[in-house]
Amino acid sequence: MVTAVATSSVDVLAAVRAIPDPEVPVITIDDLGILRSVDLDGDRLRVVITPTYSGCPAMEAIRANIQRVAADHGYEADVSMQLSPAWTTDWMSADGRDALARFGIAPPHVLKDGPVAVGLSVRQVTCPLCGSTDTEELSRFGSTSCKALRRCVSCREPFEEFKAL
């Protein structure tokens, strides 16, 4: 039998922020930018999360992981989902982008002027393995809906790209 041990509020807040994304476990839910708020109210944790897109199948796993981590620290967690404003890759931290690149996933480019423009130009994506920008898209969707499958023409290695939203 496992007994939860009450820990400090700092510990439980840090533990929730450190929960890995179930689909891309090299990045935390905090660095992904889907963790909107974490507040402690007595022995209850109130957590607000936003999916990367509506219908994201990982949200129930994320909710369960938050509740498990809170329970491990002696707290109960109320997890709610906030859909508006919609999540954007602009909410991803620099540490999160670096973690994706180290894992071989091209991080989304940083948007400078608001929403992603829809155009006919070819996106230039840097290969996370060799740094070449001579890459091509093989499939608009990779292992998850938020990623595309690409190949580097220079080093010939396939890689995934986290799409900018």
Short mmCIF file of all heavy atoms in Angstrom, two decimals, residues 9-78:
data_model
loop_
_atom_site.label_atom_id
_atom_site.label_comp_id
_atom_site.label_asym_id
_atom_site.label_seq_id
_atom_site.Cartn_x
_atom_site.Cartn_y
_atom_site.Cartn_z
N SER A 9 3.95 23.12 -0.69
CA SER A 9 3.23 23.58 -1.88
C SER A 9 4.19 23.81 -3.05
O SER A 9 3.85 23.58 -4.20
CB SER A 9 2.46 24.85 -1.56
OG SER A 9 3.34 25.87 -1.13
N VAL A 10 5.42 24.20 -2.73
CA VAL A 10 6.42 24.41 -3.79
C VAL A 10 6.71 23.09 -4.50
O VAL A 10 6.81 23.04 -5.72
CB VAL A 10 7.71 25.03 -3.21
CG1 VAL A 10 8.81 25.10 -4.26
CG2 VAL A 10 7.43 26.41 -2.63
N ASP A 11 6.83 22.01 -3.71
CA ASP A 11 7.12 20.71 -4.29
C ASP A 11 6.02 20.24 -5.22
O ASP A 11 6.29 19.76 -6.32
CB ASP A 11 7.32 19.66 -3.19
CG ASP A 11 8.57 19.88 -2.37
OD1 ASP A 11 9.47 20.60 -2.83
OD2 ASP A 11 8.64 19.33 -1.25
N VAL A 12 4.77 20.34 -4.80
CA VAL A 12 3.68 19.84 -5.63
C VAL A 12 3.50 20.70 -6.88
O VAL A 12 3.25 20.18 -7.97
CB VAL A 12 2.36 19.70 -4.83
CG1 VAL A 12 1.77 21.06 -4.47
CG2 VAL A 12 1.35 18.87 -5.62
N LEU A 13 3.68 22.01 -6.76
CA LEU A 13 3.56 22.88 -7.94
C LEU A 13 4.67 22.56 -8.95
O LEU A 13 4.42 22.46 -10.15
CB LEU A 13 3.60 24.35 -7.53
CG LEU A 13 2.45 24.83 -6.64
CD1 LEU A 13 2.66 26.28 -6.23
CD2 LEU A 13 1.11 24.64 -7.31
N ALA A 14 5.88 22.34 -8.46
CA ALA A 14 7.00 21.99 -9.34
C ALA A 14 6.77 20.62 -9.98
O ALA A 14 7.08 20.41 -11.16
CB ALA A 14 8.31 22.01 -8.57
N ALA A 15 6.23 19.68 -9.20
CA ALA A 15 5.99 18.34 -9.73
C ALA A 15 4.93 18.36 -10.84
O ALA A 15 5.06 17.65 -11.84
CB ALA A 15 5.55 17.41 -8.60
N VAL A 16 3.90 19.17 -10.68
CA VAL A 16 2.88 19.28 -11.73
C VAL A 16 3.49 19.91 -12.98
O VAL A 16 3.26 19.45 -14.10
CB VAL A 16 1.65 20.08 -11.23
CG1 VAL A 16 0.73 20.46 -12.39
CG2 VAL A 16 0.89 19.28 -10.19
N ARG A 17 4.27 20.95 -12.80
CA ARG A 17 4.90 21.61 -13.97
C ARG A 17 5.86 20.68 -14.70
O ARG A 17 6.09 20.83 -15.89
CB ARG A 17 5.62 22.88 -13.52
CG ARG A 17 4.68 23.99 -13.15
CD ARG A 17 5.41 25.31 -12.88
NE ARG A 17 4.45 26.37 -12.68
CZ ARG A 17 4.04 26.77 -11.48
NH1 ARG A 17 4.55 26.24 -10.38
NH2 ARG A 17 3.13 27.72 -11.38
N ALA A 18 6.42 19.70 -13.99
CA ALA A 18 7.40 18.79 -14.59
C ALA A 18 6.77 17.55 -15.25
O ALA A 18 7.49 16.71 -15.78
CB ALA A 18 8.39 18.34 -13.52
N ILE A 19 5.45 17.45 -15.26
CA ILE A 19 4.80 16.29 -15.89
C ILE A 19 5.08 16.31 -17.39
O ILE A 19 4.85 17.31 -18.06
CB ILE A 19 3.27 16.32 -15.62
CG1 ILE A 19 2.99 16.10 -14.14
CG2 ILE A 19 2.55 15.28 -16.48
CD1 ILE A 19 1.53 16.30 -13.75
N PRO A 20 5.59 15.20 -17.93
CA PRO A 20 5.87 15.17 -19.38
C PRO A 20 4.59 15.04 -20.20
O PRO A 20 3.61 14.44 -19.75
CB PRO A 20 6.75 13.92 -19.53
CG PRO A 20 6.45 13.07 -18.35
CD PRO A 20 6.02 13.98 -17.25
N ASP A 21 4.61 15.60 -21.38
CA ASP A 21 3.51 15.43 -22.31
C ASP A 21 3.47 13.95 -22.72
O ASP A 21 4.51 13.40 -23.08
CB ASP A 21 3.70 16.32 -23.54
CG ASP A 21 2.60 16.12 -24.55
OD1 ASP A 21 1.49 16.60 -24.29
OD2 ASP A 21 2.86 15.46 -25.59
N PRO A 22 2.31 13.28 -22.68
CA PRO A 22 2.29 11.85 -23.01
C PRO A 22 2.61 11.54 -24.47
O PRO A 22 3.08 10.45 -24.77
CB PRO A 22 0.87 11.42 -22.64
CG PRO A 22 0.08 12.65 -22.53
CD PRO A 22 1.02 13.78 -22.24
N GLU A 23 2.38 12.46 -25.37
CA GLU A 23 2.66 12.20 -26.79
C GLU A 23 4.09 12.58 -27.18
O GLU A 23 4.65 12.00 -28.09
CB GLU A 23 1.67 12.97 -27.68
CG GLU A 23 0.27 12.41 -27.60
CD GLU A 23 -0.68 13.09 -28.56
OE1 GLU A 23 -0.44 14.24 -28.96
OE2 GLU A 23 -1.68 12.45 -28.90
N VAL A 24 4.64 13.58 -26.52
CA VAL A 24 6.01 14.02 -26.79
C VAL A 24 6.69 14.13 -25.42
O VAL A 24 6.86 15.22 -24.88
CB VAL A 24 6.04 15.37 -27.53
CG1 VAL A 24 7.46 15.70 -27.97
CG2 VAL A 24 5.11 15.38 -28.72
N PRO A 25 7.10 12.99 -24.83
CA PRO A 25 7.56 13.00 -23.43
C PRO A 25 8.88 13.72 -23.18
O PRO A 25 9.29 13.81 -22.03
CB PRO A 25 7.66 11.51 -23.08
CG PRO A 25 7.66 10.78 -24.36
CD PRO A 25 7.00 11.65 -25.39
N VAL A 26 9.51 14.25 -24.19
CA VAL A 26 10.75 15.01 -23.95
C VAL A 26 10.45 16.45 -23.52
O VAL A 26 11.35 17.20 -23.19
CB VAL A 26 11.65 15.04 -25.20
CG1 VAL A 26 12.08 13.63 -25.56
CG2 VAL A 26 10.98 15.73 -26.36
N ILE A 27 9.18 16.83 -23.52
CA ILE A 27 8.79 18.18 -23.17
C ILE A 27 7.72 18.12 -22.08
O ILE A 27 6.85 17.24 -22.11
CB ILE A 27 8.30 18.96 -24.42
CG1 ILE A 27 8.07 20.43 -24.11
CG2 ILE A 27 7.08 18.33 -25.03
CD1 ILE A 27 7.83 21.27 -25.37
N THR A 28 7.81 19.02 -21.10
CA THR A 28 6.83 19.02 -20.02
C THR A 28 5.57 19.76 -20.47
O THR A 28 5.60 20.54 -21.44
CB THR A 28 7.37 19.73 -18.76
OG1 THR A 28 7.54 21.13 -19.05
CG2 THR A 28 8.70 19.12 -18.32
N ILE A 29 4.47 19.53 -19.74
CA ILE A 29 3.23 20.23 -20.09
C ILE A 29 3.38 21.73 -19.85
O ILE A 29 2.73 22.52 -20.52
CB ILE A 29 2.01 19.67 -19.33
CG1 ILE A 29 2.18 19.77 -17.82
CG2 ILE A 29 1.74 18.22 -19.77
CD1 ILE A 29 0.93 19.38 -17.02
N ASP A 30 4.27 22.12 -18.94
CA ASP A 30 4.53 23.54 -18.71
C ASP A 30 5.31 24.14 -19.88
O ASP A 30 4.95 25.19 -20.40
CB ASP A 30 5.29 23.73 -17.40
CG ASP A 30 5.34 25.18 -16.95
OD1 ASP A 30 4.40 25.94 -17.23
OD2 ASP A 30 6.34 25.55 -16.30
N ASP A 31 6.37 23.46 -20.32
CA ASP A 31 7.16 23.97 -21.45
C ASP A 31 6.37 23.92 -22.76
O ASP A 31 6.62 24.71 -23.66
CB ASP A 31 8.47 23.19 -21.60
CG ASP A 31 9.50 23.61 -20.56
OD1 ASP A 31 9.45 24.78 -20.12
OD2 ASP A 31 10.35 22.79 -20.21
N LEU A 32 5.43 22.98 -22.88
CA LEU A 32 4.58 22.92 -24.06
C LEU A 32 3.61 24.10 -24.10
O LEU A 32 3.17 24.51 -25.16
CB LEU A 32 3.82 21.59 -24.10
CG LEU A 32 2.97 21.27 -25.31
CD1 LEU A 32 3.79 21.31 -26.60
CD2 LEU A 32 2.30 19.91 -25.14
N GLY A 33 3.32 24.66 -22.92
CA GLY A 33 2.45 25.82 -22.84
C GLY A 33 0.98 25.49 -22.67
O GLY A 33 0.13 26.37 -22.75
N ILE A 34 0.67 24.22 -22.38
CA ILE A 34 -0.74 23.86 -22.20
C ILE A 34 -1.17 23.97 -20.75
O ILE A 34 -2.36 23.88 -20.46
CB ILE A 34 -1.04 22.45 -22.74
CG1 ILE A 34 -0.29 21.38 -21.95
CG2 ILE A 34 -0.74 22.36 -24.22
CD1 ILE A 34 -0.73 19.97 -22.29
N LEU A 35 -0.22 24.16 -19.84
CA LEU A 35 -0.54 24.35 -18.42
C LEU A 35 -0.82 25.83 -18.21
O LEU A 35 0.10 26.65 -18.20
CB LEU A 35 0.62 23.87 -17.55
CG LEU A 35 0.42 23.93 -16.05
CD1 LEU A 35 -0.73 23.03 -15.61
CD2 LEU A 35 1.71 23.52 -15.34
N ARG A 36 -2.09 26.18 -18.08
CA ARG A 36 -2.47 27.60 -17.99
C ARG A 36 -2.28 28.16 -16.59
O ARG A 36 -1.82 29.28 -16.43
CB ARG A 36 -3.93 27.78 -18.43
CG ARG A 36 -4.22 27.29 -19.83
CD ARG A 36 -3.57 28.17 -20.89
NE ARG A 36 -4.08 29.51 -20.86
CZ ARG A 36 -5.15 29.92 -21.54
NH1 ARG A 36 -5.79 29.11 -22.31
NH2 ARG A 36 -5.56 31.16 -21.45
N SER A 37 -2.68 27.39 -15.57
CA SER A 37 -2.50 27.86 -14.21
C SER A 37 -2.50 26.68 -13.25
O SER A 37 -3.11 25.64 -13.53
CB SER A 37 -3.59 28.87 -13.82
OG SER A 37 -4.86 28.24 -13.81
N VAL A 38 -1.82 26.87 -12.14
CA VAL A 38 -1.79 25.90 -11.04
C VAL A 38 -1.87 26.72 -9.77
O VAL A 38 -1.00 27.54 -9.50
CB VAL A 38 -0.49 25.08 -11.02
CG1 VAL A 38 -0.54 24.05 -9.92
CG2 VAL A 38 -0.21 24.43 -12.34
N ASP A 39 -2.95 26.53 -9.02
CA ASP A 39 -3.13 27.27 -7.78
C ASP A 39 -3.45 26.30 -6.66
O ASP A 39 -4.16 25.31 -6.86
CB ASP A 39 -4.28 28.28 -7.93
CG ASP A 39 -3.98 29.32 -8.99
OD1 ASP A 39 -2.93 29.97 -8.89
OD2 ASP A 39 -4.78 29.45 -9.93
N LEU A 40 -2.95 26.61 -5.50
CA LEU A 40 -3.20 25.81 -4.32
C LEU A 40 -4.23 26.52 -3.46
O LEU A 40 -4.09 27.70 -3.15
CB LEU A 40 -1.88 25.62 -3.56
CG LEU A 40 -1.86 24.53 -2.52
CD1 LEU A 40 -2.21 23.18 -3.11
CD2 LEU A 40 -0.49 24.48 -1.88
N ASP A 41 -5.31 25.78 -3.12
CA ASP A 41 -6.38 26.32 -2.29
C ASP A 41 -6.57 25.33 -1.14
O ASP A 41 -7.32 24.36 -1.27
CB ASP A 41 -7.65 26.47 -3.13
CG ASP A 41 -8.80 27.08 -2.34
OD1 ASP A 41 -8.56 27.60 -1.23
OD2 ASP A 41 -9.94 27.05 -2.85
N GLY A 42 -5.86 25.55 -0.03
CA GLY A 42 -5.89 24.60 1.08
C GLY A 42 -5.21 23.31 0.68
O GLY A 42 -4.06 23.31 0.26
N ASP A 43 -5.96 22.19 0.74
CA ASP A 43 -5.39 20.91 0.34
C ASP A 43 -5.83 20.51 -1.07
O ASP A 43 -5.70 19.36 -1.45
CB ASP A 43 -5.75 19.81 1.34
CG ASP A 43 -7.24 19.56 1.41
OD1 ASP A 43 -8.02 20.40 0.88
OD2 ASP A 43 -7.64 18.54 2.00
N ARG A 44 -6.36 21.47 -1.82
CA ARG A 44 -6.82 21.21 -3.19
C ARG A 44 -5.95 22.00 -4.18
O ARG A 44 -5.64 23.17 -3.95
CB ARG A 44 -8.28 21.59 -3.37
CG ARG A 44 -9.21 20.75 -2.51
CD ARG A 44 -10.63 20.84 -2.97
NE ARG A 44 -10.89 20.08 -4.17
CZ ARG A 44 -11.12 18.76 -4.18
NH1 ARG A 44 -11.10 18.09 -3.08
NH2 ARG A 44 -11.38 18.15 -5.31
N LEU A 45 -5.63 21.33 -5.25
CA LEU A 45 -4.89 21.96 -6.33
C LEU A 45 -5.88 22.26 -7.44
O LEU A 45 -6.66 21.39 -7.84
CB LEU A 45 -3.84 20.96 -6.82
CG LEU A 45 -2.55 21.44 -7.43
CD1 LEU A 45 -1.82 22.37 -6.50
CD2 LEU A 45 -1.68 20.25 -7.78
N ARG A 46 -5.89 23.47 -7.92
CA ARG A 46 -6.78 23.85 -9.03
C ARG A 46 -5.88 24.09 -10.25
O ARG A 46 -5.04 24.98 -10.24
CB ARG A 46 -7.58 25.08 -8.68
CG ARG A 46 -8.37 24.90 -7.39
CD ARG A 46 -9.65 25.67 -7.36
NE ARG A 46 -10.28 25.57 -6.04
CZ ARG A 46 -11.01 24.53 -5.63
NH1 ARG A 46 -11.20 23.52 -6.44
NH2 ARG A 46 -11.54 24.51 -4.42
N VAL A 47 -6.09 23.25 -11.26
CA VAL A 47 -5.23 23.26 -12.43
C VAL A 47 -6.07 23.51 -13.67
O VAL A 47 -7.14 22.93 -13.84
CB VAL A 47 -4.48 21.91 -12.57
CG1 VAL A 47 -3.56 21.93 -13.78
CG2 VAL A 47 -3.71 21.59 -11.30
N VAL A 48 -5.60 24.40 -14.53
CA VAL A 48 -6.28 24.69 -15.79
C VAL A 48 -5.32 24.33 -16.92
O VAL A 48 -4.15 24.77 -16.92
CB VAL A 48 -6.70 26.17 -15.90
CG1 VAL A 48 -7.38 26.45 -17.23
CG2 VAL A 48 -7.60 26.55 -14.73
N ILE A 49 -5.81 23.52 -17.87
CA ILE A 49 -5.01 23.12 -19.02
C ILE A 49 -5.76 23.46 -20.31
O ILE A 49 -6.98 23.57 -20.31
CB ILE A 49 -4.67 21.61 -18.98
CG1 ILE A 49 -5.94 20.76 -18.83
CG2 ILE A 49 -3.68 21.31 -17.89
CD1 ILE A 49 -5.69 19.25 -18.83
N THR A 50 -5.03 23.65 -21.38
CA THR A 50 -5.60 23.92 -22.70
C THR A 50 -5.03 22.91 -23.69
O THR A 50 -3.81 22.74 -23.75
CB THR A 50 -5.25 25.36 -23.16
OG1 THR A 50 -5.90 26.28 -22.29
CG2 THR A 50 -5.70 25.62 -24.59
N PRO A 51 -5.88 22.22 -24.45
CA PRO A 51 -5.35 21.25 -25.41
C PRO A 51 -4.66 21.95 -26.58
O PRO A 51 -4.95 23.10 -26.89
CB PRO A 51 -6.61 20.51 -25.88
CG PRO A 51 -7.72 21.49 -25.69
CD PRO A 51 -7.34 22.32 -24.49
N THR A 52 -3.75 21.23 -27.21
CA THR A 52 -3.09 21.80 -28.39
C THR A 52 -4.08 21.95 -29.54
O THR A 52 -3.89 22.78 -30.41
CB THR A 52 -1.90 20.93 -28.84
OG1 THR A 52 -2.37 19.59 -29.04
CG2 THR A 52 -0.78 20.94 -27.81
N TYR A 53 -5.13 21.14 -29.52
CA TYR A 53 -6.26 21.30 -30.45
C TYR A 53 -7.46 20.60 -29.82
O TYR A 53 -7.29 19.69 -29.01
CB TYR A 53 -5.94 20.74 -31.85
CG TYR A 53 -5.68 19.25 -31.89
CD1 TYR A 53 -6.69 18.35 -32.20
CD2 TYR A 53 -4.41 18.75 -31.62
CE1 TYR A 53 -6.45 16.99 -32.24
CE2 TYR A 53 -4.17 17.39 -31.65
CZ TYR A 53 -5.19 16.52 -31.95
OH TYR A 53 -4.95 15.18 -31.98
N SER A 54 -8.67 21.06 -30.16
CA SER A 54 -9.84 20.45 -29.54
C SER A 54 -9.93 18.99 -29.98
O SER A 54 -9.69 18.66 -31.14
CB SER A 54 -11.12 21.22 -29.92
OG SER A 54 -11.32 21.17 -31.30
N GLY A 55 -10.19 18.13 -29.06
CA GLY A 55 -10.26 16.70 -29.34
C GLY A 55 -8.93 16.00 -29.17
O GLY A 55 -8.82 14.81 -29.50
N CYS A 56 -7.93 16.69 -28.66
CA CYS A 56 -6.61 16.07 -28.45
C CYS A 56 -6.78 14.85 -27.52
O CYS A 56 -7.27 14.99 -26.40
CB CYS A 56 -5.64 17.07 -27.83
SG CYS A 56 -4.05 16.32 -27.40
N PRO A 57 -6.40 13.65 -27.98
CA PRO A 57 -6.62 12.45 -27.18
C PRO A 57 -5.73 12.37 -25.94
O PRO A 57 -6.00 11.57 -25.06
CB PRO A 57 -6.31 11.31 -28.16
CG PRO A 57 -5.38 11.92 -29.15
CD PRO A 57 -5.78 13.36 -29.27
N ALA A 58 -4.72 13.21 -25.84
CA ALA A 58 -3.80 13.14 -24.70
C ALA A 58 -4.35 13.84 -23.46
O ALA A 58 -3.80 13.66 -22.36
CB ALA A 58 -2.46 13.76 -25.09
N MET A 59 -5.41 14.61 -23.59
CA MET A 59 -5.87 15.42 -22.46
C MET A 59 -6.32 14.58 -21.26
O MET A 59 -6.07 14.95 -20.12
CB MET A 59 -6.99 16.37 -22.90
CG MET A 59 -6.51 17.40 -23.93
SD MET A 59 -4.96 18.24 -23.49
CE MET A 59 -5.50 19.29 -22.18
N GLU A 60 -6.96 13.44 -21.50
CA GLU A 60 -7.39 12.62 -20.36
C GLU A 60 -6.19 12.02 -19.64
O GLU A 60 -6.18 11.91 -18.42
CB GLU A 60 -8.37 11.53 -20.82
CG GLU A 60 -9.77 12.06 -21.06
CD GLU A 60 -10.31 12.86 -19.86
OE1 GLU A 60 -10.26 12.38 -18.71
OE2 GLU A 60 -10.79 14.00 -20.10
N ALA A 61 -5.16 11.63 -20.40
CA ALA A 61 -3.94 11.12 -19.77
C ALA A 61 -3.26 12.22 -18.97
O ALA A 61 -2.75 11.98 -17.87
CB ALA A 61 -2.99 10.56 -20.83
N ILE A 62 -3.25 13.44 -19.48
CA ILE A 62 -2.64 14.57 -18.77
C ILE A 62 -3.42 14.85 -17.49
O ILE A 62 -2.84 15.04 -16.42
CB ILE A 62 -2.57 15.81 -19.68
CG1 ILE A 62 -1.58 15.55 -20.83
CG2 ILE A 62 -2.20 17.06 -18.89
CD1 ILE A 62 -1.61 16.58 -21.94
N ARG A 63 -4.75 14.85 -17.59
CA ARG A 63 -5.58 15.07 -16.40
C ARG A 63 -5.28 13.99 -15.34
O ARG A 63 -5.07 14.32 -14.17
CB ARG A 63 -7.06 15.03 -16.78
CG ARG A 63 -8.00 15.21 -15.59
CD ARG A 63 -9.46 14.92 -15.95
NE ARG A 63 -9.90 15.59 -17.13
CZ ARG A 63 -10.51 16.78 -17.17
NH1 ARG A 63 -10.75 17.40 -16.04
NH2 ARG A 63 -10.89 17.31 -18.31
N ALA A 64 -5.23 12.74 -15.75
CA ALA A 64 -4.96 11.64 -14.80
C ALA A 64 -3.56 11.77 -14.20
O ALA A 64 -3.38 11.53 -13.00
CB ALA A 64 -5.11 10.30 -15.52
N ASN A 65 -2.59 12.18 -14.99
CA ASN A 65 -1.22 12.36 -14.47
C ASN A 65 -1.17 13.49 -13.44
O ASN A 65 -0.47 13.39 -12.43
CB ASN A 65 -0.24 12.63 -15.60
CG ASN A 65 0.10 11.37 -16.37
OD1 ASN A 65 -0.09 10.25 -15.87
ND2 ASN A 65 0.56 11.53 -17.59
N ILE A 66 -1.89 14.57 -13.69
CA ILE A 66 -1.92 15.68 -12.73
C ILE A 66 -2.55 15.21 -11.42
O ILE A 66 -2.02 15.48 -10.33
CB ILE A 66 -2.69 16.89 -13.31
CG1 ILE A 66 -1.90 17.51 -14.47
CG2 ILE A 66 -2.99 17.92 -12.22
CD1 ILE A 66 -2.67 18.54 -15.27
N GLN A 67 -3.66 14.48 -11.51
CA GLN A 67 -4.32 14.00 -10.29
C GLN A 67 -3.43 13.00 -9.54
O GLN A 67 -3.38 13.01 -8.32
CB GLN A 67 -5.68 13.39 -10.66
CG GLN A 67 -6.65 14.47 -11.11
CD GLN A 67 -7.94 13.93 -11.69
OE1 GLN A 67 -7.97 12.85 -12.27
NE2 GLN A 67 -9.01 14.72 -11.57
N ARG A 68 -2.70 12.15 -10.27
CA ARG A 68 -1.81 11.18 -9.63
C ARG A 68 -0.65 11.90 -8.92
O ARG A 68 -0.33 11.60 -7.77
CB ARG A 68 -1.25 10.21 -10.66
CG ARG A 68 -0.29 9.16 -10.06
CD ARG A 68 0.41 8.36 -11.14
NE ARG A 68 0.97 9.15 -12.22
CZ ARG A 68 2.12 9.84 -12.15
NH1 ARG A 68 2.81 9.84 -11.04
NH2 ARG A 68 2.56 10.54 -13.18
N VAL A 69 -0.05 12.87 -9.60
CA VAL A 69 1.07 13.61 -9.00
C VAL A 69 0.60 14.38 -7.76
O VAL A 69 1.27 14.39 -6.72
CB VAL A 69 1.71 14.56 -10.04
CG1 VAL A 69 2.62 15.58 -9.38
CG2 VAL A 69 2.49 13.74 -11.07
N ALA A 70 -0.57 15.00 -7.85
CA ALA A 70 -1.10 15.72 -6.69
C ALA A 70 -1.33 14.76 -5.53
O ALA A 70 -0.95 15.05 -4.39
CB ALA A 70 -2.40 16.44 -7.07
N ALA A 71 -1.93 13.60 -5.81
CA ALA A 71 -2.18 12.61 -4.76
C ALA A 71 -0.88 12.11 -4.15
O ALA A 71 -0.79 11.90 -2.93
CB ALA A 71 -2.99 11.45 -5.33
N ASP A 72 0.15 11.92 -4.98
CA ASP A 72 1.46 11.48 -4.47
C ASP A 72 2.03 12.49 -3.47
O ASP A 72 2.87 12.13 -2.64
CB ASP A 72 2.46 11.30 -5.62
CG ASP A 72 2.15 10.08 -6.48
OD1 ASP A 72 1.30 9.26 -6.08
OD2 ASP A 72 2.75 9.98 -7.58
N HIS A 73 1.62 13.76 -3.58
CA HIS A 73 2.12 14.80 -2.68
C HIS A 73 1.10 15.14 -1.58
O HIS A 73 1.26 16.13 -0.86
CB HIS A 73 2.46 16.07 -3.48
CG HIS A 73 3.72 15.91 -4.28
ND1 HIS A 73 3.77 15.24 -5.48
CD2 HIS A 73 5.00 16.30 -4.03
CE1 HIS A 73 4.99 15.25 -5.95
NE2 HIS A 73 5.77 15.88 -5.09
N GLY A 74 0.01 14.36 -1.49
CA GLY A 74 -0.96 14.56 -0.43
C GLY A 74 -2.03 15.58 -0.74
O GLY A 74 -2.69 16.10 0.17
N TYR A 75 -2.25 15.88 -2.00
CA TYR A 75 -3.26 16.86 -2.40
C TYR A 75 -4.28 16.23 -3.33
O TYR A 75 -3.99 15.23 -4.01
CB TYR A 75 -2.60 18.05 -3.13
CG TYR A 75 -1.69 18.88 -2.28
CD1 TYR A 75 -0.33 18.58 -2.18
CD2 TYR A 75 -2.17 19.96 -1.55
CE1 TYR A 75 0.51 19.34 -1.40
CE2 TYR A 75 -1.34 20.73 -0.76
CZ TYR A 75 0.01 20.41 -0.69
OH TYR A 75 0.85 21.16 0.09
N GLU A 76 -5.47 16.82 -3.40
CA GLU A 76 -6.45 16.46 -4.41
C GLU A 76 -6.38 17.53 -5.49
O GLU A 76 -6.10 18.69 -5.20
CB GLU A 76 -7.86 16.41 -3.82
CG GLU A 76 -8.04 15.26 -2.85
CD GLU A 76 -9.48 15.14 -2.40
OE1 GLU A 76 -10.39 15.35 -3.23
OE2 GLU A 76 -9.68 14.85 -1.22
N ALA A 77 -6.64 17.13 -6.73
CA ALA A 77 -6.55 18.09 -7.84
C ALA A 77 -7.86 18.18 -8.59
O ALA A 77 -8.47 17.17 -8.92
CB ALA A 77 -5.43 17.67 -8.80
N ASP A 78 -8.29 19.42 -8.81
CA ASP A 78 -9.41 19.70 -9.71
C ASP A 78 -8.79 20.21 -11.00
O ASP A 78 -8.14 21.25 -11.01
CB ASP A 78 -10.34 20.78 -9.13
CG ASP A 78 -11.00 20.32 -7.84
OD1 ASP A 78 -11.35 19.14 -7.74
OD2 ASP A 78 -11.13 21.16 -6.93
#
